[in-house]
Amino acid sequence: MTIEFARRPHSHIPAEPGKPYFIDKGMGDRAHLFTDLVTVYAGGPQTENSFNFFTVEGPRGDIIPAHSHPNTYEVFYVTQGAVRLFVEDLEGEQQEKLLTSGDFGFVPKNCPHAYRIERHHSQVVGVAAGPGGTFERFFETLGTATEELGLPRQPYVPAPQKFATVPQQYDVTFLPGHQWRTQS
């Protein structure tokens, strides 16, 4: 972990790489972003920047901002509820798919994507990997770290200028104004 996150007071993720560890359900490093709770279980420091593992839980809501990861592949695996995944391939062809419990979605690097939680109490397991490193700390940098186990009481919407602070550090490129032609 970087010094910035090694000071997180209640982290169950070890700061030292190369050590086995276990984390009880929901007890990873948590952050609120928009209406969602993001819980990180493993990241760059633990995996030599090869992948991260996190969950996103939330209520039915709005589509998250369109974005891409220039050097990172991302996996969406729905464990409960339903999530609509929007993806555009490198030729500009757009697809969307309603993923329900047990369904899987894969987004290659450089492909614009977004998602929308379609049912209350939905949960997605996310894995991101690639030469760009890992972006698990993006969620608490753009959002806000929390010790709470539940969803935010009020949506946490970052100030617009905050979006400009994360791309280089976390391999995230926001695509303001991106239009989903397939959107349901």
Side-chain angles (χ1 to χ4, degrees):
M1 287 186 154
T2 65
I3 297 298
E4 178 182 359
F5 297 110
R7 287 184 260 138
R8 190 163 207 212
H10 301 293
S11 181
H12 294 272
I13 301 174
E16 314 83 32
K19 291 194 175 246
Y21 63 96
F22 302 93
I23 298 177
D24 292 335
K25 179 181 178 182
M27 297 308 294
D29 292 350
R30 297 175 299 282
H32 287 153
L33 182 57
F34 303 114
T35 58
D36 301 340
L37 170 67
V38 179
T39 306
V40 174
Y41 292 93
Q46 295 77 41
T47 67
E48 298 179 351
N49 283 329
S50 57
F51 73 93
N52 60 38
F53 184 96
F54 57 93
T55 60
V56 177
E57 300 174 52
R60 183 176 180 169
D62 295 328
I63 192 168
I64 64 151
H67 62 283
S68 66
H69 307 287
N71 295 297
T72 304
Y73 301 87
E74 192 169 4
V75 166
F76 293 77
Y77 181 78
V78 177
T79 57
Q80 62 188 52
V83 175
R84 186 171 303 277
L85 181 59
F86 302 87
V87 182
E88 184 175 306
D89 67 21
L90 297 177
E91 286 77 42
E93 183 177 333
Q94 293 186 358
Q95 301 175 53
E96 72 174 71
K97 172 78 174 163
L98 180 65
L99 304 173
T100 59
S101 186
D103 289 342
F104 173 91
F106 175 74
V107 179
K109 67 181 182 175
N110 283 314
C111 290
H113 59 285
Y115 68 87
R116 181 177 64 221
I117 294 177
E118 298 285 358
R119 291 189 196 139
H120 290 301
H121 309 293
S122 292
Q123 182 183 56
V124 177
V125 170
V127 175
T134 60
F135 62 76
E136 73 277 357
R137 297 300 172 189
F138 159 84
F139 301 110
E140 64 192 28
T141 300
L142 188 61
T144 184
T146 184
E147 296 302 320
E148 295 179 26
L149 291 172
L151 301 178
R153 292 183 191 118
Q154 296 292 321
Y156 182 86
V157 180
Q161 64 272 20
K162 204 167 182 185
F163 283 91
T165 66
V166 296
Q168 295 78 20
Q169 187 175 3
Y170 298 108
D171 194 40
V172 177
T173 302
F174 290 104
L175 306 167
H178 188 81
Q179 298 294 312
W180 295 106
R181 295 180 300 277
T182 63
Q183 189 171 3
S184 311

